[in-house]
Amino acid sequence: MFKIGCHLSISNGFLRAAKEIVSIGGNTYQYFSRNPQGGASKPWNQTDFLNFKEYAKENGIEILLCHAPYTLNAASKTPETREFASMIFKDDLAKLEAFGNALYNFHPGSHTGQGVEIGTDEIVEILNDVLYEEMTTTVLLETMSGKGSEIGRSFEEIANIINRVKLNNKLGVCLDTCHVFSAGYDIVNNLDEVLDEFDKIIGLDRLKAIHLNDSKMPFASNKDRHEKIGYGTIGLEAIINIINHPKLKHLPFYLETPNELNGYKEEIELLKNNWRS
Ligand code: FE
Ligand code: FE
Ligand code: ZN
């Protein structure tokens, strides 16, 4: 089965977003755990959650992807920002246990000038603090474009984090097509080689989700500007290759393209028409 969806708001609840994704032809969605630019989260609504669970079961929604807020920066030079990251991590992971075997995606972090090495140490420290043996959620490090002082611009930087975390059986990776292309991985002309490299450095068994985006920016530009599917520098043909690649086609794909619901609907239809079972 082709697992395809997009980013949706859950400000009106999990059920409402589930109905939205089904109405546009998808079967999974990504949502922000809380205000992406802040930290506030709505109080947990158990009735909505139970209604969602029932609706999801009836409609073939098997998995959701929860995205941490952008304000979570585990690599910041500011201690208060790292404490905040720790707090958000713990709170979000506690909530996600309601789902069981959930996926939680976060940006590894920006070192804000203190360098990749120190930033990496701090990400590892926070992950070692917040991951725990009994959790069922898998925490995904997102591959980044390398803008500013972002960590996670290369497979090596991601592997350096994963390899140093004690409970790294709780860790996986979410590959963002726009970000890796901007970071200099040529998924348009050399997809096989890029996936071989991912496998060698991180391990393809770690790959749990794909952010499926075209890019407004040229290859290896280290810029992070998403584009609608087929309208950017990656292009439709390469995106169709990605969703059909034997090493990727079983994964859930999430659109984070600049679209309203109708635009997402068209993209989901286009992708479904081009996914070969
Ligand atoms: Fe992201
Ligand atoms: Fe992304
Ligand atoms: Zn992005």
Side-chain angles (χ1 to χ4, degrees):
M1 192 190 58
F2 185 35
K3 298 189 211 57
I4 180 72
C6 62
H7 188 92
L8 290 177
S9 163
I10 55 152
S11 55
N12 294 308
F14 287 111
L15 177 64
R16 171 74 174 272
K19 287 182 172 171
E20 266 175 11
I21 198 64
V22 168
S23 80
I24 61 171
N27 50 24
T28 181
Y29 64 87
Q30 172 180 265
Y31 67 97
F32 281 122
S33 61
R34 54 190 69 232
N35 177 349
Q37 311 295 350
S41 68
K42 287 209 320 170
W44 184 262
N45 180 337
Q46 184 67 6
T47 308
D48 171 59
F49 178 70
L50 293 175
N51 288 336
F52 159 77
K53 288 261 270 200
E54 194 180 324
Y55 182 84
K57 205 170 159 190
E58 287 164 0
N59 289 277
I61 298 174
E62 289 173 4
I63 194 144
L64 298 186
L65 176 58
C66 179
H67 195 306
Y70 298 136
T71 44
L72 188 161
N73 184 7
S76 170
K77 66 173 180 229
T78 312
E80 290 76 20
T81 305
R82 297 201 304 276
E83 273 162 39
F84 179 77
S86 221
M87 193 262 287
I88 301 277
F89 247 124
K90 286 177 182 168
D91 192 51
D92 283 352
L93 291 179
K95 284 196 181 117
L96 278 170
E97 282 305 304
F99 290 91
N101 304 306
L103 296 175
Y104 184 67
N105 174 72
F106 79 109
H107 296 178
S110 292
H111 62 68
T112 59
Q114 55 179 350
V116 179
E117 239 170 85
I118 293 175
T120 300
D121 287 348
E122 289 172 348
I123 299 166
V124 169
E125 190 183 320
I126 285 188
L127 287 171
N128 278 331
D129 178 40
V130 302
L131 302 180
Y132 58 101
E133 195 71 64
E134 300 77 21
M135 67 189 277
T136 67
T137 298
T138 302
V139 174
L140 308 183
L141 295 98
E142 182 169 352
T143 59
M144 303 310 290
S145 64
K147 70 171 188 293
S149 64
E150 270 176 354
I151 299 175
R153 67 180 70 197
S154 69
F155 299 158
E156 284 83 359
E157 285 186 4
I158 301 235
N160 279 341
I161 299 167
I162 293 175
N163 294 338
R164 291 175 50 203
V165 172
K166 281 187 225 113
L167 293 176
N168 68 15
N169 58 323
K170 311 293 182 191
L171 294 179
V173 174
C174 174
L175 185 142
D176 186 308
T177 55
C178 167
H179 297 175
V180 291
F181 190 65
S182 286
Y185 291 99
D186 193 353
I187 52 173
V188 175
N189 300 301
N190 297 313
L191 180 60
D192 281 317
E193 286 84 343
V194 171
L195 293 179
D196 283 350
E197 196 175 337
F198 187 103
D199 195 31
K200 209 173 69 201
I201 295 165
I202 299 175
L204 271 173
D205 54 329
R206 295 268 184 203
L207 186 55
K208 303 296 181 194
I210 305 277
H211 283 164
L212 195 63
N213 303 306
D214 212 325
S215 174
K216 280 192 204 294
M217 293 295 165
F219 175 67
S221 60
N222 293 122
K223 296 232 166 64
D224 182 4
R225 298 277 309 282
H226 300 191
E227 179 57 286
K228 291 185 168 84
I229 299 299
Y231 290 88
T233 49
I234 297 176
L236 184 59
E237 199 187 320
I239 284 167
I240 291 173
N241 282 336
I242 289 166
I243 61 172
N244 285 294
H245 196 284
K247 289 176 178 165
L248 305 176
K249 62 181 305 182
H250 63 286
L251 294 168
F253 294 89
Y254 298 91
L255 297 162
E256 300 176 310
T257 45
N259 275 308
E260 301 293 328
L261 211 52
N262 239 325
Y264 279 135
K265 183 180 178 175
E266 285 169 22
E267 289 186 348
I268 288 173
E269 199 176 302
L270 174 70
L271 296 166
K272 280 165 83 173
N273 287 337
N274 284 286
W275 189 80
R276 300 178 288 270
S277 52

